Amino acid sequence: VVACTGPKELSGLSSASSEIADFVEKNAPKGDIDAALDAFIRFSEQNQLGMHLGVQKGQTILDSVVKGKPDIGPVVVLELGCHAGDGTLSIFKALKDRPGSKIISTETNKEWLKAAKRIIAHAGHGSHVQWIPLLLPEKIDFSDFLKKVKDDYQLKSFDSMVFDHEEKLFLPYLKTILEQKMLRVGGTVQIDNVKRKASALAKYLDFVKPGRNGFSTRVIQVDE
């Protein structure tokens, strides 16, 4: 992908993610998550990068995380595929009233994760939510990875999960999480593009059909 910003070219999405981080740092006040998210979306849209989820998808993430919150206390969220961090910012917004909460975000693209670290460090400055960014290689034993994360960060279970990694891994990763009892009863799982990628997600959607495997599933139309 090559996108243009005025007379300057951005060579590829990895470079674009760094450019987005530059723009957020320069145009959003430190510690202002809303301003950072707005700057992220604005830059990606203006330069036709396709790196942003958009306002509506960001809202579905926020709503899902809010729905998965326990009645009281800190919240633990797993985000698989954080890209350059705009979805992460929506999760931060959902947890602003729960100090001590944790967000574990993974990404396979090192450059995207590097950009996300810059953006979250800037936007999340002063936040009482702990953000844990982790590189998740494509070829990895996810079961071992999950056990290590659980032990390293003293986690019992996840209250909410956001899947935006490889679609082919949605179902096997979900099954692994369930086998390790890492999704709290009453917790939520959010994915997107269920209509556009219906074929690729067919087995996953069948697994989480209402009444199957304990899930209650709702599809939301997003027009962006």
PDB file of all heavy atoms in Angstrom, residues 169-189:
ATOM      1  N   LEU A 169      -7.588 -17.930  12.866  1.00  0.00           N
ATOM      2  CA  LEU A 169      -7.179 -18.284  14.226  1.00  0.00           C
ATOM      3  C   LEU A 169      -8.250 -17.961  15.277  1.00  0.00           C
ATOM      4  O   LEU A 169      -8.088 -18.308  16.441  1.00  0.00           O
ATOM      5  CB  LEU A 169      -5.885 -17.549  14.588  1.00  0.00           C
ATOM      6  CG  LEU A 169      -4.663 -17.892  13.723  1.00  0.00           C
ATOM      7  CD1 LEU A 169      -3.480 -17.015  14.112  1.00  0.00           C
ATOM      8  CD2 LEU A 169      -4.301 -19.370  13.859  1.00  0.00           C
ATOM      9  N   PHE A 170      -9.333 -17.295  14.866  1.00  0.00           N
ATOM     10  CA  PHE A 170     -10.371 -16.921  15.829  1.00  0.00           C
ATOM     11  C   PHE A 170     -10.883 -18.136  16.594  1.00  0.00           C
ATOM     12  O   PHE A 170     -10.915 -18.130  17.830  1.00  0.00           O
ATOM     13  CB  PHE A 170     -11.554 -16.243  15.122  1.00  0.00           C
ATOM     14  CG  PHE A 170     -11.332 -14.806  14.738  1.00  0.00           C
ATOM     15  CD1 PHE A 170     -10.068 -14.228  14.758  1.00  0.00           C
ATOM     16  CD2 PHE A 170     -12.394 -14.021  14.335  1.00  0.00           C
ATOM     17  CE1 PHE A 170      -9.868 -12.905  14.397  1.00  0.00           C
ATOM     18  CE2 PHE A 170     -12.216 -12.692  13.978  1.00  0.00           C
ATOM     19  CZ  PHE A 170     -10.951 -12.138  14.002  1.00  0.00           C
ATOM     20  N   LEU A 171     -11.328 -19.144  15.867  1.00  0.00           N
ATOM     21  CA  LEU A 171     -11.939 -20.304  16.520  1.00  0.00           C
ATOM     22  C   LEU A 171     -10.932 -21.135  17.313  1.00  0.00           C
ATOM     23  O   LEU A 171     -11.196 -21.452  18.478  1.00  0.00           O
ATOM     24  CB  LEU A 171     -12.671 -21.174  15.494  1.00  0.00           C
ATOM     25  CG  LEU A 171     -13.435 -22.372  16.073  1.00  0.00           C
ATOM     26  CD1 LEU A 171     -14.418 -21.913  17.137  1.00  0.00           C
ATOM     27  CD2 LEU A 171     -14.161 -23.134  14.961  1.00  0.00           C
ATOM     28  N   PRO A 172      -9.774 -21.518  16.739  1.00  0.00           N
ATOM     29  CA  PRO A 172      -8.828 -22.294  17.567  1.00  0.00           C
ATOM     30  C   PRO A 172      -8.359 -21.546  18.808  1.00  0.00           C
ATOM     31  O   PRO A 172      -8.211 -22.144  19.878  1.00  0.00           O
ATOM     32  CB  PRO A 172      -7.663 -22.583  16.609  1.00  0.00           C
ATOM     33  CG  PRO A 172      -7.837 -21.675  15.460  1.00  0.00           C
ATOM     34  CD  PRO A 172      -9.295 -21.410  15.343  1.00  0.00           C
ATOM     35  N   TYR A 173      -8.161 -20.230  18.695  1.00  0.00           N
ATOM     36  CA  TYR A 173      -7.735 -19.458  19.866  1.00  0.00           C
ATOM     37  C   TYR A 173      -8.864 -19.368  20.890  1.00  0.00           C
ATOM     38  O   TYR A 173      -8.618 -19.474  22.103  1.00  0.00           O
ATOM     39  CB  TYR A 173      -7.292 -18.051  19.450  1.00  0.00           C
ATOM     40  CG  TYR A 173      -5.877 -17.977  18.917  1.00  0.00           C
ATOM     41  CD1 TYR A 173      -5.205 -19.111  18.467  1.00  0.00           C
ATOM     42  CD2 TYR A 173      -5.205 -16.761  18.847  1.00  0.00           C
ATOM     43  CE1 TYR A 173      -3.913 -19.032  17.974  1.00  0.00           C
ATOM     44  CE2 TYR A 173      -3.899 -16.676  18.353  1.00  0.00           C
ATOM     45  CZ  TYR A 173      -3.272 -17.817  17.919  1.00  0.00           C
ATOM     46  OH  TYR A 173      -1.983 -17.740  17.436  1.00  0.00           O
ATOM     47  N   LEU A 174     -10.082 -19.177  20.418  1.00  0.00           N
ATOM     48  CA  LEU A 174     -11.220 -19.131  21.344  1.00  0.00           C
ATOM     49  C   LEU A 174     -11.360 -20.459  22.085  1.00  0.00           C
ATOM     50  O   LEU A 174     -11.568 -20.480  23.302  1.00  0.00           O
ATOM     51  CB  LEU A 174     -12.513 -18.811  20.596  1.00  0.00           C
ATOM     52  CG  LEU A 174     -13.786 -18.809  21.445  1.00  0.00           C
ATOM     53  CD1 LEU A 174     -13.718 -17.741  22.542  1.00  0.00           C
ATOM     54  CD2 LEU A 174     -15.029 -18.605  20.573  1.00  0.00           C
ATOM     55  N   LYS A 175     -11.242 -21.554  21.366  1.00  0.00           N
ATOM     56  CA  LYS A 175     -11.358 -22.872  21.998  1.00  0.00           C
ATOM     57  C   LYS A 175     -10.263 -23.077  23.040  1.00  0.00           C
ATOM     58  O   LYS A 175     -10.522 -23.630  24.124  1.00  0.00           O
ATOM     59  CB  LYS A 175     -11.293 -23.968  20.934  1.00  0.00           C
ATOM     60  CG  LYS A 175     -12.549 -24.092  20.096  1.00  0.00           C
ATOM     61  CD  LYS A 175     -12.429 -25.236  19.094  1.00  0.00           C
ATOM     62  CE  LYS A 175     -13.719 -25.451  18.325  1.00  0.00           C
ATOM     63  NZ  LYS A 175     -13.602 -26.558  17.348  1.00  0.00           N
ATOM     64  N   THR A 176      -9.050 -22.622  22.736  1.00  0.00           N
ATOM     65  CA  THR A 176      -7.948 -22.738  23.697  1.00  0.00           C
ATOM     66  C   THR A 176      -8.235 -21.922  24.953  1.00  0.00           C
ATOM     67  O   THR A 176      -8.008 -22.384  26.082  1.00  0.00           O
ATOM     68  CB  THR A 176      -6.630 -22.258  23.062  1.00  0.00           C
ATOM     69  OG1 THR A 176      -6.321 -23.079  21.937  1.00  0.00           O
ATOM     70  CG2 THR A 176      -5.489 -22.326  24.067  1.00  0.00           C
ATOM     71  N   ILE A 177      -8.756 -20.728  24.769  1.00  0.00           N
ATOM     72  CA  ILE A 177      -9.105 -19.863  25.898  1.00  0.00           C
ATOM     73  C   ILE A 177     -10.185 -20.517  26.761  1.00  0.00           C
ATOM     74  O   ILE A 177     -10.109 -20.496  27.999  1.00  0.00           O
ATOM     75  CB  ILE A 177      -9.566 -18.487  25.386  1.00  0.00           C
ATOM     76  CG1 ILE A 177      -8.371 -17.723  24.802  1.00  0.00           C
ATOM     77  CG2 ILE A 177     -10.214 -17.673  26.499  1.00  0.00           C
ATOM     78  CD1 ILE A 177      -8.746 -16.531  23.956  1.00  0.00           C
ATOM     79  N   LEU A 178     -11.168 -21.117  26.116  1.00  0.00           N
ATOM     80  CA  LEU A 178     -12.248 -21.782  26.849  1.00  0.00           C
ATOM     81  C   LEU A 178     -11.738 -23.029  27.571  1.00  0.00           C
ATOM     82  O   LEU A 178     -12.149 -23.305  28.704  1.00  0.00           O
ATOM     83  CB  LEU A 178     -13.386 -22.155  25.899  1.00  0.00           C
ATOM     84  CG  LEU A 178     -14.130 -20.990  25.236  1.00  0.00           C
ATOM     85  CD1 LEU A 178     -15.169 -21.516  24.256  1.00  0.00           C
ATOM     86  CD2 LEU A 178     -14.793 -20.108  26.295  1.00  0.00           C
ATOM     87  N   GLU A 179     -10.851 -23.767  26.917  1.00  0.00           N
ATOM     88  CA  GLU A 179     -10.285 -24.971  27.538  1.00  0.00           C
ATOM     89  C   GLU A 179      -9.525 -24.623  28.808  1.00  0.00           C
ATOM     90  O   GLU A 179      -9.540 -25.385  29.784  1.00  0.00           O
ATOM     91  CB  GLU A 179      -9.350 -25.680  26.548  1.00  0.00           C
ATOM     92  CG  GLU A 179     -10.087 -26.400  25.425  1.00  0.00           C
ATOM     93  CD  GLU A 179      -9.142 -26.841  24.317  1.00  0.00           C
ATOM     94  OE1 GLU A 179      -7.906 -26.621  24.457  1.00  0.00           O
ATOM     95  OE2 GLU A 179      -9.624 -27.395  23.314  1.00  0.00           O
ATOM     96  N   GLN A 180      -8.876 -23.463  28.794  1.00  0.00           N
ATOM     97  CA  GLN A 180      -8.124 -23.024  29.979  1.00  0.00           C
ATOM     98  C   GLN A 180      -8.979 -22.202  30.933  1.00  0.00           C
ATOM     99  O   GLN A 180      -8.472 -21.664  31.908  1.00  0.00           O
ATOM    100  CB  GLN A 180      -6.894 -22.227  29.538  1.00  0.00           C
ATOM    101  CG  GLN A 180      -5.889 -23.054  28.757  1.00  0.00           C
ATOM    102  CD  GLN A 180      -4.546 -22.352  28.594  1.00  0.00           C
ATOM    103  OE1 GLN A 180      -4.202 -21.455  29.364  1.00  0.00           O
ATOM    104  NE2 GLN A 180      -3.768 -22.772  27.617  1.00  0.00           N
ATOM    105  N   LYS A 181     -10.281 -22.149  30.625  1.00  0.00           N
ATOM    106  CA  LYS A 181     -11.247 -21.427  31.472  1.00  0.00           C
ATOM    107  C   LYS A 181     -10.801 -19.985  31.725  1.00  0.00           C
ATOM    108  O   LYS A 181     -10.888 -19.465  32.840  1.00  0.00           O
ATOM    109  CB  LYS A 181     -11.456 -22.163  32.799  1.00  0.00           C
ATOM    110  CG  LYS A 181     -11.928 -23.609  32.641  1.00  0.00           C
ATOM    111  CD  LYS A 181     -12.261 -24.243  33.958  1.00  0.00           C
ATOM    112  CE  LYS A 181     -12.569 -25.733  33.797  1.00  0.00           C
ATOM    113  NZ  LYS A 181     -13.659 -25.990  32.839  1.00  0.00           N
ATOM    114  N   MET A 182     -10.348 -19.348  30.650  1.00  0.00           N
ATOM    115  CA  MET A 182      -9.822 -17.994  30.763  1.00  0.00           C
ATOM    116  C   MET A 182     -10.828 -16.903  30.384  1.00  0.00           C
ATOM    117  O   MET A 182     -10.500 -15.721  30.451  1.00  0.00           O
ATOM    118  CB  MET A 182      -8.564 -17.853  29.897  1.00  0.00           C
ATOM    119  CG  MET A 182      -7.331 -18.534  30.472  1.00  0.00           C
ATOM    120  SD  MET A 182      -6.743 -17.687  31.963  1.00  0.00           S
ATOM    121  CE  MET A 182      -6.047 -16.193  31.285  1.00  0.00           C
ATOM    122  N   LEU A 183     -12.022 -17.299  29.957  1.00  0.00           N
ATOM    123  CA  LEU A 183     -13.072 -16.308  29.706  1.00  0.00           C
ATOM    124  C   LEU A 183     -14.090 -16.413  30.826  1.00  0.00           C
ATOM    125  O   LEU A 183     -14.740 -17.445  31.007  1.00  0.00           O
ATOM    126  CB  LEU A 183     -13.751 -16.547  28.357  1.00  0.00           C
ATOM    127  CG  LEU A 183     -14.918 -15.600  28.014  1.00  0.00           C
ATOM    128  CD1 LEU A 183     -14.440 -14.137  27.968  1.00  0.00           C
ATOM    129  CD2 LEU A 183     -15.567 -15.983  26.690  1.00  0.00           C
ATOM    130  N   ARG A 184     -14.219 -15.336  31.583  1.00  0.00           N
ATOM    131  CA  ARG A 184     -15.152 -15.337  32.705  1.00  0.00           C
ATOM    132  C   ARG A 184     -16.586 -15.535  32.214  1.00  0.00           C
ATOM    133  O   ARG A 184     -16.979 -15.010  31.172  1.00  0.00           O
ATOM    134  CB  ARG A 184     -15.048 -14.005  33.468  1.00  0.00           C
ATOM    135  CG  ARG A 184     -15.986 -13.894  34.673  1.00  0.00           C
ATOM    136  CD  ARG A 184     -15.817 -12.544  35.358  1.00  0.00           C
ATOM    137  NE  ARG A 184     -16.140 -11.427  34.480  1.00  0.00           N
ATOM    138  CZ  ARG A 184     -17.397 -11.029  34.211  1.00  0.00           C
ATOM    139  NH1 ARG A 184     -18.431 -11.668  34.735  1.00  0.00           N
ATOM    140  NH2 ARG A 184     -17.600  -9.992  33.411  1.00  0.00           N
ATOM    141  N   VAL A 185     -17.363 -16.301  32.970  1.00  0.00           N
ATOM    142  CA  VAL A 185     -18.784 -16.446  32.661  1.00  0.00           C
ATOM    143  C   VAL A 185     -19.428 -15.064  32.725  1.00  0.00           C
ATOM    144  O   VAL A 185     -19.281 -14.345  33.710  1.00  0.00           O
ATOM    145  CB  VAL A 185     -19.472 -17.399  33.654  1.00  0.00           C
ATOM    146  CG1 VAL A 185     -20.978 -17.428  33.410  1.00  0.00           C
ATOM    147  CG2 VAL A 185     -18.898 -18.804  33.538  1.00  0.00           C
ATOM    148  N   GLY A 186     -20.097 -14.676  31.649  1.00  0.00           N
ATOM    149  CA  GLY A 186     -20.645 -13.329  31.561  1.00  0.00           C
ATOM    150  C   GLY A 186     -19.737 -12.375  30.806  1.00  0.00           C
ATOM    151  O   GLY A 186     -20.104 -11.228  30.560  1.00  0.00           O
ATOM    152  N   GLY A 187     -18.551 -12.859  30.431  1.00  0.00           N
ATOM    153  CA  GLY A 187     -17.610 -12.048  29.671  1.00  0.00           C
ATOM    154  C   GLY A 187     -18.036 -11.922  28.215  1.00  0.00           C
ATOM    155  O   GLY A 187     -18.986 -12.581  27.766  1.00  0.00           O
ATOM    156  N   THR A 188     -17.331 -11.089  27.460  1.00  0.00           N
ATOM    157  CA  THR A 188     -17.711 -10.827  26.077  1.00  0.00           C
ATOM    158  C   THR A 188     -16.541 -11.050  25.113  1.00  0.00           C
ATOM    159  O   THR A 188     -15.379 -10.968  25.493  1.00  0.00           O
ATOM    160  CB  THR A 188     -18.196  -9.372  25.902  1.00  0.00           C
ATOM    161  OG1 THR A 188     -17.165  -8.466  26.321  1.00  0.00           O
ATOM    162  CG2 THR A 188     -19.454  -9.112  26.717  1.00  0.00           C
ATOM    163  N   VAL A 189     -16.915 -11.338  23.863  1.00  0.00           N
ATOM    164  CA  VAL A 189     -15.948 -11.458  22.771  1.00  0.00           C
ATOM    165  C   VAL A 189     -16.447 -10.589  21.625  1.00  0.00           C
ATOM    166  O   VAL A 189     -17.602 -10.725  21.203  1.00  0.00           O
ATOM    167  CB  VAL A 189     -15.810 -12.911  22.270  1.00  0.00           C
ATOM    168  CG1 VAL A 189     -14.690 -13.001  21.234  1.00  0.00           C
ATOM    169  CG2 VAL A 189     -15.572 -13.872  23.419  1.00  0.00           C
TER     170      VAL A 189
END
